[in-house]
C-alpha cells in the first residue's frame, strides 16, 4: 500500500487528504476569508491520520500543492510538507495548483481554464484539454474582452478568479462553473500517486513554491 499525505494551501482553502494507492481515504478542509492555515494545517494532518488509524511512520510520501497562488498560503503548506519529509525521511512530491483545480470538473469537449484570483482583474491561469493535458504554460493574465479571442471551442472556467470575469467574458463559449472555487487536496491524489510511481520527487532542502509573480509588499495609505 502506498499512503500519501496531500497538502493544499495555495488559496483560502486549507485542505488535507490521505490517499491509498491514489484513492482518497480521508479528507478535511476549510475555506475562510481570513487565512488561518498556520492554525489549521497541523491539526488537520493529525485528525486525518487518526481517522484512518495511520501513523506518520506509515506514510510513503508527502505531496504539496506548489503554486501559483497565495504567497502566505504556499509558504505555510510547503514548510509543513518539507518538515514532515525531512523528519520522516520520505519523498516530497510537488503538484501544480492549477492542474489540481482543473481536475475538479469533468467535460466531454472543449477546454478547462482554471483561474486563481490575483489582483484586480489579474488571474493565475492555464489551459487544459478535456483529458487534463496541459495546453499552455501558467501565466499571470490581466483579463479583458480580448482574452481567449482566438479560441472558438467551449471554455470551461473554474476557480475564484473566474468569478470576477463574468462581466468581461460574455461570449457564449465561456461556461462558468461557479460551484468550483478553490483547489482541494482531494484532486491531488491521482496526480501525486502518478508522480510517486514515476519517482518524480523534489529536493527537500532546496524546493521552493512556484509563485509565478514576485511577492509585492504594500503599505496602507
Amino acid at each position: 500500500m502506498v499512503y500519501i499525505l496531500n497538502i493544499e494551501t495555495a488559496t483560502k482553502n486549507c485542505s488535507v487528504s490521505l490517499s491509498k494507492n491514489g484513492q482518497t481515504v480521508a479528507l478535511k478542509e476549510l475555506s475562510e476569508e481570513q487565512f488561518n492555515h498556520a492554525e489549521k494545517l497541523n491539526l488537520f494532518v493529525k485528525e486525518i491520520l487518526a481517522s484512518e488509524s495511520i501513523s506518520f511512520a506509515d506514510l510513503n510520501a508527502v505531496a504539496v500543492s506548489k503554486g501559483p497562488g497565495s504567497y502566505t498560503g504556499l509558504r505555510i503548506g510547503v514548510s509543513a510538507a518539507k518538515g514532515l519529509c525531512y523528519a520522516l525521511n520520505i519523498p516530497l512530491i510537488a503538484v501544480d495548483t492549477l492542474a489540481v483545480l482543473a481536475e475538479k470538473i469533468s467535460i466531454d469537449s472543449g477546454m478547462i481554464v482554471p483561474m486563481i484570483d490575483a489582483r484586480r482583474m489579474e488571474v493565475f491561469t492555464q489551459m487544459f484539454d478535456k483529458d487534463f493535458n496541459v495546453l499552455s504554460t501558467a501565466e499571470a493574465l490581466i483579463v479583458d474582452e480580448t482574452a481567449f479571442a482566438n479560441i472558438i471551442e467551449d471554455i470551461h472556467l473554474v476557480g475564484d478568479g473566474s468569478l470576477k470575469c463574468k462581466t468581461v467574458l460574455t461570449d457564449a463559449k465561456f461556461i462558468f462553473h461557479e460551484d468550483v472555487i478553490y483547489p482541494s487536496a482531494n484532486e491531488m491524489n491521482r496526480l501525486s500517486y502518478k508522480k510517486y510511481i514515476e519517482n518524480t520527487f523534489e529536493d527537500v532542502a532546496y524546493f521552493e513554491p512556484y509563485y509565478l509573480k514576485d511577492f509585492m509588499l504594500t503599505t496602507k495609505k
Side-chain angles (χ1 to χ4, degrees):
M1 296 293 181
V2 176
Y3 286 104
I4 300 177
L5 183 72
N6 298 273
I7 296 172
E8 164 57 71
T9 57
T11 64
K12 293 178 181 178
N13 192 31
C14 182
S15 180
V16 179
S17 72
L18 178 68
S19 67
K20 181 171 70 175
N21 295 340
Q23 300 296 316
T24 303
V25 294
L27 173 70
K28 191 169 184 65
E29 57 189 355
L30 178 67
S31 57
E32 297 180 313
E33 282 303 312
Q34 299 297 322
F35 281 89
N36 293 317
H37 300 354
E39 301 174 11
K40 304 292 185 183
L41 182 55
N42 290 332
L43 177 62
F44 285 1
V45 169
K46 292 177 181 179
E47 290 179 350
I48 281 285
L49 297 179
S51 69
E52 298 300 314
S53 299
I54 297 295
S55 71
F56 284 104
D58 295 318
L59 295 176
N60 298 96
V62 177
V64 66
S65 180
K66 71 175 186 179
S70 158
Y71 180 90
T72 302
L74 289 171
R75 295 298 298 180
I76 292 170
V78 168
S79 295
K82 290 173 68 172
L84 286 169
C85 289
Y86 181 79
L88 300 170
N89 194 28
I90 56 177
L92 173 66
I93 299 170
V95 180
D96 295 326
T97 304
L98 290 167
V100 174
L101 183 54
E103 295 241 356
K104 289 190 72 70
I105 66 171
S106 177
I107 62 174
D108 296 322
S109 61
M111 63 178 55
I112 303 171
V113 178
M115 289 182 169
I116 294 175
D117 191 15
R119 289 169 174 263
R120 301 180 181 86
M121 287 306 293
E122 188 173 34
V123 297
F124 299 129
T125 190
Q126 192 171 12
M127 292 187 289
F128 299 81
D129 67 15
K130 63 182 181 63
D131 298 313
F132 308 110
N133 296 307
V134 176
L135 299 177
S136 68
T137 58
E139 63 176 327
L141 175 68
I142 297 176
V143 180
D144 59 21
E145 293 82 355
T146 65
F148 310 104
N150 61 327
I151 300 174
I152 59 174
E153 57 186 311
D154 287 342
I155 300 175
H156 295 261
L157 300 171
V158 300
D160 61 343
S162 70
L163 301 180
K164 64 184 182 183
C165 299
K166 292 194 69 175
T167 59
V168 177
L169 304 178
T170 58
D171 191 281
K173 68 182 179 183
F174 295 109
I175 302 170
F176 290 85
H177 294 257
E178 297 185 53
D179 57 326
V180 179
I181 301 177
Y182 302 121
S184 168
N186 186 59
E187 280 69 43
M188 289 180 64
N189 298 321
R190 184 186 72 83
L191 300 172
S192 61
Y193 182 65
K194 181 175 184 292
K195 288 197 170 189
Y196 182 86
I197 296 301
E198 296 171 347
N199 290 318
T200 305
F201 304 134
E202 304 295 332
D203 187 313
V204 175
Y206 295 102
F207 176 74
E208 292 291 333
Y210 176 50
Y211 297 117
L212 188 57
K213 286 182 61 179
D214 292 333
F215 176 64
M216 295 179 64
L217 181 64
T218 60
T219 56
K220 291 184 178 181
K221 294 182 178 180

